[in-house]
Amino acid sequence: MLHITGSSESGPLRDDACAYAVAFEEWLATRPAALEAAAHPIASYEQRVAATSALMRVLYDEGWARYGWPEQLGGLGGDIVHRAVMWEALARHGLLSMAVYEHLEVLAPTLAALGNPALMARLLPRFLSGTETWSQGFSEPDAGSDLASARTRAVARDGGWAITGRKIWTSWSRYATWCLVLARTGTTESRHRGLTAFVVDLRHPGVEVRPIVQANGTDELAEVTFDEVPVDAERLVGEIGGGWRVAMHILAHERGTYGWFRHNFLQREVLDNLSLGAPEGDTLLGNALLDLAAIRSSSFAGVRAHAADSVLGPRAAFVKLMLAASEQAVNDWVLASDPDLAVGVQDDHVAVNRQEYLFSRIVTVYGGSQQMQLDTIAKQILRLP
Ligand SMILES: Cc1cc2nc3c(=O)[nH]c(=O)nc-3n(C[C@H](O)[C@H](O)[C@H](O)COP(=O)(O)OP(=O)(O)OC[C@H]3O[C@@H](n4cnc5c(N)ncnc54)[C@H](O)[C@@H]3O)c2cc1C
C-alpha cells in the first residue's frame, strides 16, 4: 500500500510533517486499545460512531488530533498536511471510515477560518476530542443544486437572531450537537447575497431532528426543522449577508481536499476485500486501482495547495468527480467479488460491504451533483457558452 512518507507520487513531505508521521507510526504500532476497538467492521452505525468518538478522545489526549489546527483554537500548530498524514495512517492501520468526523475536513477548516474566534476556541477542542460533533444545514426541500433559493429565515431579535425553517439531508444531525445553518437574512430576491451562516445548537427547544434511514439501512441523513430558535450574535460565521462565501469555502473542502481523506478508506476497503479471492487480472479491480491512483494524486495536490494558502477553486470539481468515480469503481469490484453481498448474509464484514456498496450509488449527489460539477467545469474552466 502506498503511503505519503517518501512516496514519489506525492513528493517528500516537509520535515515537520515527516517527524509527525514517523512518531505517529510508532505510536500506532503499539496498537492502542481505542484503535483496536474502532478498526474493524462495525455494522451498527451508532456503535461505529461511539468507537470512532472514543478513538478521537485518545488521539486528542495524546496530542495527535491537535496537530494541524491553530494553537489559539486548542490545536498544536501545523496544517492540513498533518491531518492528511494522521487519517492516512489510521486507514492504513485498519480504521474503515472517519464516520461523523468527516466534518473535521469539510466544516471545521471554515469554522476555524471564518467563525468567531472566542466561540471556536471553545467548540473546536470539543469536536477534535470526540465530545461534540457537527452537521451542515444547507439543503432544503426546494433548494439543493439551487442553494441560492434557500428559504430558512433568520430574523434579528434581542441582540441576536431567531431561525425558522426546514433543512433536509443534513448528514449526522442525529449525532450532532451543532449545525452550521445557512439562513436568509435578506429578501428572497437577494438570492445568494441575502444568506448568512449561523452556528445553531441542535439541543435547543424548537429544533426537531428526524433521522432518515437510507437504502443501506443507516440513519446518517436527517430532516431538521427550526421553529423560532434563538441564536446569539457570536454564533454568526462570517459577515451578515456573507453566507455564500462561507458556503463556497466549505464546498471547496468538500469537493477538493476531502477527496484525500475519503480515498484512504477506499484503499482500506480494497485491502480488506482482497482475501475474497478476486481473480488475478480482474478488470474491475484494475479500474478501481487506477481510479484510486487518480484521486490520490489530484486530491493531494489540493492538500498541498491548501497548506500553501492557495485554493483549487473550480478545479475542485474534477476532484469531486474522480472521488465519486473511484468510490463506485471500488464498490463495483467488491460486489463482483463478494457473493454474499447480495444475498443477505449478516456478519459485520458483509453488512458493512453492503452499506458501502449502496452508499456508493449516491455519492454523485452530495456536495453538489455530478451535473453541477460538470457545469462548473464547462463554464468556469472551459469557458463554454
Ligand atoms: C449522501 C448525501 C449526503 C448529503 N449531506 C448533506 C448535508 O450534510 N447537508 C446538506 O445541506 N445537504 C446534504 N446533501 C444534499 C445534497 O447537497 C443535495 O442532494 C444536492 O445538492 C442536490 O440537490 P437536490 O437533492 O435538491 O436535487 P436537485 O437540485 O433537485 O437536482 C435533481 C437533479 O437535477 C439535476 N440538476 C439540477 N439543477 C441542474 C442544472 N442547473 N443543470 C443540470 N442539472 C441540474 C441534478 O444534477 C440532479 O440530478 C446530501 C446528499 C446526499 C446524497
Side-chain angles (χ1 to χ4, degrees), residues 103 106 134-147 167-173 179-180 214 220-222 251 254-255 359 362-373 375 379:
H103 269 327
V106 174
W134 286 68
S135 66
Q136 173 201 42
F138 287 5
S139 304
E140 299 182 4
D142 296 317
S145 303
D146 186 19
L147 188 57
K167 296 289 178 179
I168 196 156
W169 316 124
T170 51
S171 303
W172 305 303
S173 288
C179 185
L180 187 69
Q214 293 170 222
E220 196 180 308
L221 300 173
L251 288 177
E254 188 168 5
R255 294 172 181 169
F359 185 77
I362 55 171
V363 294
T364 49
V365 178
Y366 76 82
S369 70
Q370 190 161 18
Q371 289 80 4
M372 299 315 288
Q373 306 307 326
D375 194 61
K379 287 186 179 141

Side-chain angles (χ1 to χ4, degrees), residues 90-114:
L90 288 168
R92 195 156 21 81
H93 281 265
L95 194 70
L96 270 72
S97 80
M98 298 168 81
V100 297
Y101 297 95
E102 284 182 15
H103 269 327
L104 279 174
E105 293 305 332
V106 174
L107 289 187
T110 303
L111 294 169
L114 302 177

Side-chain angles (χ1 to χ4, degrees), residues 78-268:
D79 59 32
I80 190 173
V81 177
H82 288 87
R83 285 138 49 197
V85 167
M86 184 183 91
W87 287 104
E88 192 223 29
L90 288 168
R92 195 156 21 81
H93 281 265
L95 194 70
L96 270 72
S97 80
M98 298 168 81
V100 297
Y101 297 95
E102 284 182 15
H103 269 327
L104 279 174
E105 293 305 332
V106 174
L107 289 187
T110 303
L111 294 169
L114 302 177
N116 176 296
L119 180 70
M120 289 311 143
R122 291 203 302 281
L123 299 191
L124 188 63
R126 296 189 213 162
F127 196 6
L128 292 175
S129 62
T131 315
E132 291 176 349
T133 62
W134 286 68
S135 66
Q136 173 201 42
F138 287 5
S139 304
E140 299 182 4
D142 296 317
S145 303
D146 186 19
L147 188 57
S149 66
R151 282 191 284 195
T152 293
R153 175 157 286 285
V155 179
R157 184 161 307 161
D158 304 330
W161 301 85
I163 296 191
T164 301
R166 183 170 164 220
K167 296 289 178 179
I168 196 156
W169 316 124
T170 51
S171 303
W172 305 303
S173 288
R174 193 198 136 185
Y175 301 93
T177 305
W178 306 101
C179 185
L180 187 69
V181 173
L182 205 57
R184 185 155 298 285
T185 45
T187 60
T188 312
E189 297 70 43
S190 61
R191 301 269 301 161
H192 64 279
R193 290 182 307 281
L195 294 170
T196 304
F198 297 91
V199 175
V200 179
D201 187 343
L202 291 174
R203 298 161 298 187
H204 204 283
V207 177
E208 193 175 347
V209 176
R210 293 188 207 97
I212 300 170
V213 179
Q214 293 170 222
N216 74 357
T218 68
D219 58 0
E220 196 180 308
L221 300 173
E223 177 183 34
V224 186
T225 51
F226 305 90
D227 184 10
E228 301 268 322
V229 178
V231 177
D232 294 344
E234 71 159 1
R235 304 255 192 91
L236 201 87
V237 178
E239 309 289 322
I240 296 170
W244 196 253
R245 178 172 171 235
V246 174
M248 292 307 112
H249 199 281
I250 288 169
L251 288 177
H253 284 278
E254 188 168 5
R255 294 172 181 169
T257 53
Y258 170 71
W260 171 265
F261 297 89
R262 178 64 187 155
H263 100 282
N264 288 304
F265 297 97
L266 297 173
Q267 289 194 166
R268 176 79 258 154

Side-chain angles (χ1 to χ4, degrees), residues 304-353:
R304 279 187 188 279
H306 184 77
D309 278 336
S310 175
V311 285
L312 278 185
R315 283 179 299 149
F318 285 115
V319 183
K320 176 70 173 60
L321 290 173
M322 275 188 248
L323 179 63
S326 36
E327 185 123 16
Q328 297 195 334
V330 166
N331 282 286
D332 285 345
W333 168 71
V334 173
L335 177 66
S337 313
D338 185 350
D340 291 336
L341 203 67
V343 295
V345 174
Q346 276 311 324
D347 77 50
D348 275 25
H349 181 89
V350 177
V352 169
N353 272 351

